[in-house]
Amino acid sequence: AAELAGALVVAAVATAAVLLSPPHLERQAVRLVMVGLVGIVTFAEARAFGASWRRAAAAGAIAVVLAGIIAGIKHQLTH
């Protein structure tokens, strides 16, 4: 059930990004939102496993950087 709820949240946030951004920026907006969600989920998981706010924030920031790099590489390879 948690996986389905997570998938629905991701779909809703991605849809909102598409609807709220100009047509020429839709893909970039979704990419940015997905990278942000990776950071948020990483932060939340770290906190759930007992990490301090500082350590969880650091883990979230590292996840955002890595996800951004991967998304950028993927974008370059497909365009």
Side-chain angles (χ1 to χ4, degrees), residues 8-40:
L8 289 173
V9 169
V10 168
V13 172
T15 301
V18 169
L19 293 175
L20 296 174
S21 57
H24 67 284
L25 295 177
E26 288 173 347
R27 290 182 186 205
Q28 291 173 338
V30 171
R31 193 175 304 119
L32 179 64
V33 166
M34 292 301 111
V35 167
L37 282 177
V38 168
I40 291 168

Side-chain angles (χ1 to χ4, degrees), residues 35-72:
V35 167
L37 282 177
V38 168
I40 291 168
V41 169
T42 302
F43 174 83
E45 285 290 315
R47 289 292 294 155
F49 284 107
S52 67
W53 280 89
R54 176 182 258 173
R55 183 163 285 194
I62 290 168
V64 164
V65 170
L66 293 175
I69 290 169
I70 291 168

